[in-house]
Amino acid sequence: MTAIHPQSRGLTPLLVPLLAGGLAALALGVYGRVHTPTGFAVGVAGFSGALPMKAWLTTGAFLLAIVQVVSAMSMWGRLGIDIPPAVHRWSGRIAFLLTIPVAFHCLYALGLQYDVPRVLAHSLLGCFFYGVFTAKMLALPKRDAPGWTLPVLGGLAFTALVGLWLTSSFWFFTAIGIKV
């Protein structure tokens, strides 16, 4: 009987997570493109409008994504400090929850837009983020997945969220100003 090295594991365990993630990204993009945008803001309670709501919620998710990276590095033994795994789990859950009203508003009120390069990049990054997030969540319980799976998918999700923040919140705060 031959032992299998973790590095020699195949990609078979990742087929379903990656396929589901790709389908999620594609479905969001298609829906965003074929759905007729309403133009109406949804869920802006406590904010002066939809743009400030989206900017602040995305900023919260962005900051929690930094917590995700630091806590993941701690869990993988890369920092020399112990951050409880619950910090990683809860910061991820809260960050994801903060993105839901933003994504809902983007898809429902605005749809996938491609007229302005910044907005096109933002739309594509949003679809990509949810696709990668789906793949990562489905890959989590797969103990036979390659060891690089979670760091790569987590890094891609973080990168997408940084891109989303830059093309939305950063743009809003620098072009329009700090508003609540």
Side-chain angles (χ1 to χ4, degrees):
M1 194 160 171
T2 309
I4 297 176
H5 264 235
Q7 291 87 2
S8 66
R9 295 183 208 154
L11 297 178
T12 306
L14 297 180
L15 287 179
V16 170
L18 292 177
L19 181 62
L23 289 174
L26 183 64
L28 288 171
V30 168
Y31 175 80
R33 194 65 206 130
V34 301
H35 166 72
T36 302
T38 65
F40 295 108
V42 291
V44 296
F47 294 95
S48 61
L51 287 179
M53 173 204 65
K54 291 167 46 176
W56 286 108
L57 292 179
T58 303
T59 297
F62 168 71
L63 293 173
L64 288 169
I66 293 170
V67 172
Q68 282 278 285
V69 170
V70 171
S71 59
M73 290 175 66
S74 171
M75 290 185 333
W76 289 85
R78 301 283 192 250
L79 291 183
I81 58 170
D82 285 332
I83 297 174
V87 170
H88 186 76
R89 284 191 296 273
W90 280 101
S91 62
R93 289 171 182 157
I94 295 168
F96 179 76
L97 288 174
L98 290 176
T99 70
I100 298 296
V102 175
F104 180 77
H105 178 269
C106 287
L107 285 169
Y108 180 75
L110 306 172
L112 191 141
Q113 298 181 17
Y114 56 87
D115 298 341
V116 178
R118 176 191 63 81
V119 178
L120 171 62
H122 183 75
S123 295
L124 295 176
L125 282 168
C127 295
F128 180 74
F129 170 76
Y130 282 101
V132 169
F133 181 82
T134 299
K136 183 181 178 221
M137 292 300 103
L138 292 175
L140 270 172
K142 302 218 174 269
R143 300 293 174 218
D144 55 345
W148 53 262
T149 302
L150 295 179
V152 167
L153 292 176
L156 288 171
F158 176 77
T159 302
L161 195 53
V162 169
L164 285 166
W165 183 82
L166 288 170
T167 58
S168 61
S169 300
F170 180 76
W171 170 84
F172 178 81
F173 294 139
T174 56
I176 305 216
I178 306 288
K179 296 182 180 190
V180 179

